[in-house]
Amino acid sequence: MDIEQFRSQHAPTDSDEQFQLENSYTLDAAVDGSLMAKAGSMVAYTGELSFTGQASAEGGITGFIKEAATNEGTPVMTVEGQGHAYLADSEKKVQILRLDDGESITVNGEDVLAFDSDVSYEISTIDSLAGSFAGGFTNVFLQGPGYVALTTHGDPLVLEPPVATDPSATVAWSGTSPNVSVNRSLSDMVGQESGERYQMDFEGTEGFVVVQPYEEL
């Protein structure tokens, strides 16, 4: 294709949507006020925007990700002003969800890309997973109304309980909550000497669980 074809094919799309996909890997977030985004996810922006890191729980979210080596949180950032922020995370696919008033979803902290200012949030850890994730397994409870953008390695699979999932492949859940167990009958093909395998057990018949075809350690 020539230059003009290339420009027109990959140019941003005009839309009134607050969150929209420019391609499978890039979120176009229209900012009119503020929103929260994963630190380091901005690849470009237009308009008058400022990006401020959140350093404390009182000022925002301490961190979505627990670093295995340092046990330190990686902060998110507040995006403020008017314009468009283009967000991406390591070529992971972006999934946009619109939560109605009262609807909620819990997301692995590694997989939250952005959410708008109307969405309320709470950070927690699953301490029983501390044996496989240093510092536990950090997750973010998000409640609508508002837009949420998640990221997945590849295309997600949405399952209904009862189901057991690998914590490293579990992206999110809604309307259900997990119990963590160790299945000693499963042999580990990646060389763990104990032969133990952690799993998240979602029981009941309500809600759904999102997994990805990738183990995110």
Side-chain angles (χ1 to χ4, degrees):
M1 67 178 67
D2 62 29
I3 289 178
E4 287 304 316
Q5 289 174 320
F6 178 81
R7 289 180 59 185
S8 62
Q9 180 173 333
H10 298 289
T13 303
D14 289 332
S15 172
D16 294 330
E17 294 291 333
Q18 184 176 9
F19 281 12
Q20 68 173 343
L21 295 179
E22 292 300 347
N23 53 53
S24 297
Y25 316 102
T26 308
L27 173 70
D28 178 353
V31 184
D32 185 10
S34 67
L35 60 82
M36 303 293 285
K38 187 173 184 178
S41 63
M42 186 274 289
V43 297
Y45 72 91
T46 62
E48 297 294 328
L49 297 180
S50 64
F51 302 83
T52 306
Q54 296 289 344
S56 67
E58 290 75 16
I61 300 177
T62 301
F64 282 150
I65 309 166
K66 291 294 183 180
E67 299 286 355
T70 64
N71 201 29
E72 295 178 353
T74 299
V76 296
M77 59 190 177
T78 301
V79 185
E80 296 179 293
Q82 290 188 323
H84 287 259
Y86 299 96
L87 308 174
D89 184 13
S90 304
E91 290 187 304
K92 293 166 68 176
K93 286 194 170 184
V94 180
Q95 319 292 335
I96 299 174
L97 300 178
R98 183 176 61 83
L99 301 178
D100 290 333
D101 190 13
E103 287 187 325
S104 64
I105 189 168
T106 300
V107 186
N108 181 344
E110 177 66 21
D111 302 318
V112 177
L113 182 63
F115 55 91
D116 70 43
S117 58
D118 291 331
V119 174
S120 61
Y121 59 88
E122 182 178 346
I123 308 301
S124 62
T125 58
I126 300 178
D127 293 333
S128 54
L129 283 173
S132 55
F133 297 90
F137 182 89
T138 305
N139 53 77
V140 187
F141 174 80
L142 301 164
Q143 185 168 13
Y147 282 92
V148 174
L150 317 179
T151 56
T152 59
H153 288 276
D155 294 323
L157 177 65
V158 180
L159 302 166
E160 295 182 356
V163 63
T165 66
D166 183 332
S168 299
T170 304
V171 174
W173 58 89
S174 179
T176 182
S177 58
N179 294 311
V180 178
S181 62
V182 178
N183 191 331
R184 292 177 172 81
S185 66
L186 293 178
S187 61
D188 195 326
M189 302 303 293
V190 295
Q192 288 187 359
E193 293 180 359
S194 66
E196 298 179 351
R197 184 83 175 259
Y198 285 90
Q199 64 185 39
M200 301 174 77
D201 296 317
F202 296 88
E203 300 176 349
T205 58
E206 301 293 330
F208 62 89
V209 183
V210 182
V211 297
Q212 62 185 357
Y214 182 91
E215 293 187 3
E216 198 155 29
L217 299 175

